[in-house]
Amino acid sequence: MEQLNHENHKGQFGSGFGFLMAAVGSAVGLGNLWGFPYKMGANGGFAFLILYLILVVFVGYVIMITELALGRKTGKGVVGAYKALSKKYAFIGWMGAIAPWLILSFYSMLGGYCIKYAVANLGDLFGASWGIGDANSGEYFGAFTSDMVQTVIFSLIFVVLTVLIVRGGVSGGIEKFSTVAMPALFIMLVIVIIRSVTLPGASEGLAFMFKPDWSAFEGTGWITVLAVAGGQMFFSLSLGMSIMIAYGSYLPKDQNLERSALVIPFADTLVAIMAGLATMPAVFASGLEPSQGPGLLFITLQTVFHSMGGFGPFFGFLFYTLVFIAAITSSISLLEGISAVAMDSVIEKGEKPDRKKIVTILGISIAITASLVSLDGLGANGFPQFFGQGCWLDAIDLIAEGILMPLGACYCAIIIPTSLVDEEATLNGARFRTKNFYDFCIKFIAPVMMVLVLLGQLDGFFGLGMFS
Ligand code: PHE
């Protein structure tokens, strides 16, 4: 393969720390906050955690280092990167470019919801009329999701903020924002955890999450649990599409690849567990049932904040701001993933890409799709539905998370030569300490796991009952 020029006009991360904050920012998102704690509790608790950790180490880490290496080696976004391996692989690149575009449509809507709830809790802090007040959380959420004007406006605010950051470039926009936002998120999370675990009755929530329950693995149950854990892992680590390839292409050659690939999954998993500590104890302390998805974030947790009395709106504001930060550092990575592809196509023509223009045009396309998904209001507004799903979000998620991402990761494991990863990991005389482990996992473990995950995801989404 030809050695491609790295002066690619798209930008570069200024420091190793900045790169890590951006990559961890991409990984840490709604997936950690609203999915992980519940899935862990509902699928075997501590037993799930062990399996999840095994998957992260044996599959997540190896796909992570492979994608980062491919990006850095080729200096291209996902389409150009796979094309550089062979023209016939361009279709894998296109799958990796469509997935983030799809995800952005519902991610922006949910990001908009977070802004709305942060603002509403702020209102409550001052007893303002635009707060939530004494409204029932479920009814308030229902009224909001079916208010088409409001939901579209908040989604658009989220899209505009995402576009503004990405327009600022890799180091001037994405890195600068993430370097401030991620440590801030961490501190806010710690504050919310302290409040949550000190509430009376909090220990039940800890038991829900951490109590080992191996019965979930009985019979063919382990395949279901494996699929849940595997799907969660891909989504949470932003793997199987364009993100880590694009971020890898902006990683300076003097940064140690192996270390980066280890830190990102570690930090992501840490935040996922911390998210559980922040939410589950509070849910149980308020005598509520845990759930996942929008219901957990916007109904259950809002009920918790309301029941906290005077300090409730403060913690509510802090929490929804934190979720907003987690969401926007993910959405900027999604937008950058597709922008990189568009910029590459201009560079290929021998021209210098106009980042601001490209990002804005893509932003407009996302503003349209995000508005459409918002209008559906999680299925509340009676629009026709697809693929047997209850709302457009779920139908789009099925295509992106259920099919495109595991397929993308599967191809990545099968076709990227291990020599490419070895070369990138040993630049500047670095030692690739996990080389043997990597070679073994990428050949034997990762592809098998991915096929199981794909089957399990499809089974779960379509309710086929293949494994029950
Ligand atoms: N990893 C993010 C989360 O956990 C979502 C995401 C998926 C972001 C894919 C980028 C790419 O919410």
Side-chain angles (χ1 to χ4, degrees):
M1 198 182 72
E2 68 174 314
Q3 178 69 46
L4 290 147
N5 181 6
H6 249 274
E7 285 307 316
N8 53 27
H9 304 296
K10 286 179 291 185
Q12 242 191 8
F13 287 110
S15 71
F17 180 73
F19 161 75
L20 283 179
M21 287 303 101
V24 172
S26 170
V28 169
L30 296 172
N32 304 57
L33 290 156
W34 82 2
F36 186 84
Y38 176 82
K39 288 179 190 167
M40 183 171 156
N43 289 284
F46 196 71
F48 177 89
L49 180 62
I50 303 276
L51 182 73
Y52 185 83
L53 291 178
I54 292 174
L55 278 172
V56 167
V57 173
F58 285 82
V59 185
Y61 162 66
V62 295
I63 303 286
M64 179 70 71
I65 193 167
T66 311
E67 291 192 353
L68 290 175
L70 179 67
R72 190 162 78 170
K73 170 81 187 167
T74 61
K76 303 258 179 177
V78 66
V79 174
Y82 276 105
K83 258 202 208 154
L85 290 176
S86 160
K87 284 238 166 350
K88 65 174 189 276
Y89 294 144
F91 78 98
I92 307 169
W94 284 112
M95 290 192 328
I98 292 170
W101 190 76
L102 290 173
I103 293 177
L104 266 172
S105 68
F106 66 80
Y107 224 82
S108 304
M109 172 184 81
L110 298 166
Y113 286 10
C114 294
I115 299 177
K116 161 79 186 174
Y117 271 70
V119 171
N121 273 278
L122 192 66
D124 281 341
L125 203 55
F126 300 111
S129 59
W130 35 276
I132 300 173
D134 280 329
N136 169 290
S137 301
E139 282 166 17
Y140 183 83
F141 185 61
F144 171 61
T145 50
S146 50
D147 181 340
M148 299 194 198
V149 177
Q150 262 208 67
T151 45
V152 169
I153 290 176
F154 279 104
S155 302
L156 292 180
I157 295 175
F158 188 84
V159 175
V160 169
L161 292 174
T162 305
V163 168
L164 285 178
I165 297 171
V166 180
R167 273 171 63 110
V170 178
S171 62
I174 298 173
E175 178 172 357
K176 216 169 160 186
F177 182 78
S178 309
T179 314
V180 178
M182 291 314 288
L185 175 141
F186 196 81
I187 293 170
M188 288 188 227
L189 196 53
V190 171
I191 298 174
V192 179
I193 289 175
I194 294 174
R195 173 70 284 207
S196 177
V197 297
T198 50
L199 289 167
S203 57
E204 259 185 79
L206 296 176
F208 169 75
M209 255 185 90
F210 292 104
K211 207 171 101 211
D213 172 16
W214 295 100
S215 69
F217 290 68
E218 264 165 33
T220 51
W222 66 273
I223 302 185
T224 312
V225 179
L226 189 73
V228 173
Q232 171 69 23
M233 182 202 72
F234 281 121
F235 190 76
S236 193
L237 291 179
S238 309
L239 293 175
M241 50 160 100
S242 45
I243 315 299
M244 291 302 166
I245 294 177
Y247 276 17
S249 75
Y250 307 143
L251 180 63
K253 288 274 185 192
D254 59 1
Q255 294 297 323
N256 184 305
L257 191 77
E258 189 178 30
R259 202 185 45 221
S260 307
L262 283 167
V263 171
I264 302 165
F266 175 79
D268 182 67
T269 309
L270 180 70
V271 173
I273 297 172
M274 287 173 74
L277 296 177
T279 53
M280 290 302 151
V283 168
F284 279 86
S286 310
L288 296 166
E289 285 292 310
S291 61
Q292 65 172 331
L296 170 71
L297 274 194
F298 301 109
I299 302 178
T300 316
L301 288 172
Q302 180 53 44
T303 310
V304 170
F305 297 129
H306 188 247
S307 69
M308 281 181 182
F311 274 116
F314 169 72
F315 285 106
F317 172 68
L318 202 64
F319 181 76
Y320 289 112
T321 306
L322 165 176
V323 186
F324 161 74
I325 291 177
I328 197 152
T329 47
S330 296
S331 71
I332 56 180
S333 75
L334 289 157
L335 181 54
E336 181 62 30
I338 36 181
S339 302
V341 172
M343 286 188 277
D344 280 345
S345 67
V346 176
I347 295 169
E348 237 172 63
K349 287 191 213 130
E351 291 162 31
K352 199 160 180 261
D354 182 343
R355 164 180 283 271
K356 289 195 163 70
K357 189 169 138 200
I358 287 175
V359 169
T360 308
I361 294 173
L362 287 169
I364 293 171
S365 76
I366 291 152
I368 296 170
T369 53
S371 299
L372 289 174
V373 177
S374 305
L375 288 175
D376 180 53
L378 294 172
N381 296 327
F383 291 136
Q385 297 298 330
F386 307 97
F387 315 125
Q389 304 296 305
C391 61
W392 291 2
L393 184 163
D394 285 344
I396 295 171
D397 193 28
L398 166 68
I399 303 173
E401 193 189 342
I403 302 172
L404 295 176
M405 291 179 76
L407 262 185
C410 206
Y411 279 120
C412 156
I414 295 169
I415 67 174
I416 298 175
T418 49
S419 57
L420 185 153
V421 179
D422 190 38
E423 197 185 310
E424 280 298 317
T426 51
L427 278 184
N428 309 312
R431 241 188 81 206
F432 187 8
R433 290 167 205 273
T434 54
K435 182 174 167 28
N436 292 338
F437 173 79
Y438 171 81
D439 286 348
F440 177 76
C441 292
I442 200 81
K443 256 192 220 107
F444 301 108
I445 302 190
V448 177
M449 290 289 197
M450 244 100 59
V451 171
L452 279 175
V453 168
L454 187 64
L455 285 178
Q457 288 261 339
L458 292 175
D459 180 59
F461 271 114
F462 289 114
L464 302 176
M466 279 194 284
F467 309 118
S468 50

